[in-house]
Amino acid sequence: MKGRLLKQDKWPVLKFDDLKGTLGAVHLWTQIVGKIRLRKMPWLNHSWHVTLYVTANGLSSGSMPYEHGIFQMDFDFHQHQLVITASTGGRETVSLAPGTVADFYKAVITKLRALGIHAAIYTTPSELEGAIPFEEDHAQRPYDKQQMENYWQALVRVHNVLTRFRSGFTGKNSPVHFFWGAFDLAVTRFSGKDAPLHQGAAPNMPAAVMQESYSKEVSSCGFWPGSEQYPHVAFYSYCYPGNEAFGQQPVQPEAAFYSKEMGEYLLHYEAVQQADNPEETLLAFLQSTYEACANTAHWDRKSLECDLSHLENEYGCYKQI
């Protein structure tokens, strides 16, 4: 066990081609859980009510209200199962294994009903071209436990860096959360100003939802496993609304670059994973790309940013707090 823990201290090697089969299945599984959360939670600004959260076991819906109390759905990537627990004491599990999305969806709904939980969801996946409703998706999909563990361990490390980065902002700031639509872990900072009406679109996503999500000026960054169109695990950072000067700013580290096609800065995961200090390398990317946005969009940085490290140093280990 000690050897395994020491090995996990390193950032895992991730390759899109190795991950894509497993993550393709898990992406759809998280959409099922995410849509249940969407159905059960009151609407929060910028769709924050739908997100999942990185935990010590995997990804969690967090607590959701239902008729008899609260329930929770957790992807456990140690035991490779979806665990559903309710405040009544009930517990059900669904195995994470090769199979069809239709079978997984049926198993989840059956287990929820066994706990007295009913959730009628829109079953067509969001933000995916050519999406097939869950109950009609009978394609056999792979699930490689080791690849999933590797990706989740990367999520854990990225989560910790994003959490540290988030602490330097006193303005409106999102949680570090996982969006199952695009399958990315993200954190977003807000200038406090309104943004122009968003004109973009995504498959199976109402325009009104997109417009509310981008109703305020933002600097957003995160971690994404790539796609067939862009087969690279990567970090991203973008500014909304965009401006021509944003993509012309010097950013760190040297491997980072601006993609005109995607409208954001990118840094391939391997550049961080192979760095002498991955955490500081990623922090440099997050901070410098945020500054590129804040400076070119004329944010009031003095009133939005903070440094509370003196409180950590002075009171962090005091027992009375």
Side-chain angles (χ1 to χ4, degrees), residues 48-123:
W48 291 356
H49 62 299
V50 308
T51 57
L52 306 181
Y53 307 93
V54 176
T55 70
N57 292 318
L59 289 169
S60 175
S61 68
S63 299
M64 297 176 282
Y66 82 117
E67 182 179 0
H68 304 296
I70 59 175
F71 72 105
Q72 184 167 311
M73 304 179 75
D74 297 311
F75 286 96
D76 183 337
F77 298 128
H78 281 306
Q79 302 301 321
H80 299 281
Q81 56 186 3
L82 176 67
V83 182
I84 309 171
T85 52
S87 56
T88 56
R91 184 180 187 274
E92 297 285 346
T93 63
V94 179
S95 295
L96 306 182
T100 72
V101 172
D103 286 343
F104 184 84
Y105 171 71
K106 181 180 179 180
V108 169
I109 297 302
T110 299
K111 299 292 187 178
L112 286 172
R113 287 174 178 166
L115 294 171
I117 301 165
H118 300 275
I121 65 172
Y122 178 63
T123 60

Side-chain angles (χ1 to χ4, degrees), residues 164-171 173 189 287 290 301-315:
R164 180 176 166 192
F165 173 67
R166 182 178 185 264
S167 69
F169 201 73
T170 192
N173 203 356
R189 293 176 168 185
Q287 182 63 30
Y290 156 70
R301 293 182 59 187
K302 184 176 181 181
S303 66
L304 293 171
E305 298 171 17
C306 62
D307 181 359
L308 304 179
S309 59
H310 65 286
L311 293 176
E312 292 181 12
N313 296 334
E314 188 171 356
Y315 298 110

Side-chain angles (χ1 to χ4, degrees), residues 135-176:
E135 71 275 17
E136 299 175 13
D137 190 342
H138 299 288
Q140 289 290 327
R141 297 177 183 274
Y143 181 76
D144 186 313
K145 292 181 179 180
Q146 188 58 60
Q147 290 298 329
M148 192 61 235
E149 287 180 22
N150 288 346
Y151 193 74
W152 168 57
Q153 286 297 327
L155 282 177
V156 168
R157 282 150 183 76
V158 176
H159 171 273
N160 288 347
V161 177
L162 291 178
T163 298
R164 180 176 166 192
F165 173 67
R166 182 178 185 264
S167 69
F169 201 73
T170 192
K172 180 178 174 180
N173 203 356
S174 81
V176 177

Side-chain angles (χ1 to χ4, degrees), residues 198-233:
H198 192 272
Q199 300 298 320
N204 299 307
M205 178 67 71
V209 175
M210 295 287 289
Q211 290 164 0
E212 194 283 326
S213 294
Y214 288 100
S215 58
K216 304 292 183 178
E217 290 184 351
V218 302
S219 172
S220 190
C221 57
F223 178 57
W224 176 61
S227 67
E228 291 288 357
Q229 294 72 35
Y230 193 84
H232 303 279
V233 183

